[in-house]
Amino acid sequence: MSTDDATEKARANGNGVELPSTQRLIPFENKEHNPESYEDMQLDYSPLLFSSLERYLPPNMLNLPRDRKVHFLSDILTRYSPQGEHTRVQKHRKYRQQILSNYEPRHKELYTMNAANFFVPSFLKAISENSEESFRSIMVEPTPGVYTFEMFQPKFCEMLMAEVESMERWVHDQRFHIICPNTMNKYGVVLDDFGLETMLNKLMDGYICPMSRVFFPEVGGLTLDSHHGFVVEYGVNRDIELGFHVDDSEVTLNVCLGEQFYGGDLFFRGVRCDKHVNTETQSEEVFDYAHIPGRAVLHRGRHRHGARATISGHRVNLVIWCRSSVFRELKKHQNDFSSWCGDCRREKKERQHLSVAATKLELLKRDGISAS
């Protein structure tokens, strides 16, 4: 075997052994296959990601034991992750395990999905009927692509805020340095790191995904397979406001948990792709939203927004960034996002307008020649 051949095989799976074509992911989803759950396994990646990718396994692998499928899929994820990502994932896993081994939950009932105790009846009814009509019956769409609705019971909001307070007290007492919720918020807690990942996975899969499939299919709403769940806090000695940005998500759920506060309105300024993220806002894209405890806001992650200053009091919000690995991979090979980016849509309409005008001019010229 030549050096070039050996190198090519090493690239094939990272171990110097080329995978046969039957042992690679197939290019289309097997929608009839019912994937297994991986939530009870210790994994370097989200359990939902494994369930999602299982639909793309070659037919001869679908009935293999879970550990065999995990090994195969983990190898693929490791090979296609950015350089250093696997090391980062392993370090974060150790960090999370340190928390889970020492933190004692205050409200253990929060750590398993209990829909009847978490959600308001109107929301549960809409989810059980699972139709656009049922979803719209509980929603308000004050501006295109932003949906608001009653979601959580007051008791759930109070328990989650008390749990976050307990987490922060433990962090202070242990002098433990925790990772911030994101690059912009300095105050709050990543709930996944404190043991709530499984519950939030079920919240996304069973309650956010049904709505996302209906309202956001063009931005990965059909294939959400992982999340980042956290709580942020605003007020005195906390974050005051949040600058203009887009989320690292395909779909975002933002729920105000409480408490008493003044200010802190969300402002939305249109949906944009990476190319147009800093372009001018059109007048019809301007919308401001005032938070109400227990009420949710659902929107595309690429919907530009920010939060005005919380002038007084203390505001606490639960935020879940829902992501689609399939959509992110497909997006790398696309240039036109006119189905959801406001500026791509305007540019496409302008191109169509110019094309029609040019065609009319050419026809007029031909008619003139024929007449002469």
Side-chain angles (χ1 to χ4, degrees), residues 46-59:
S46 166
L48 279 178
L49 185 55
F50 284 86
S51 296
S52 177
L53 288 176
E54 188 179 317
R55 293 181 183 272
Y56 294 86
L57 286 174

Side-chain angles (χ1 to χ4, degrees), residues 296-315:
V297 184
L298 190 71
H299 62 86
R300 295 175 182 86
R302 299 297 306 186
H303 204 139
R304 302 182 300 179
H305 61 285
R308 302 194 187 284
T310 298
I311 299 172
S312 63
H314 181 212
R315 177 167 68 85

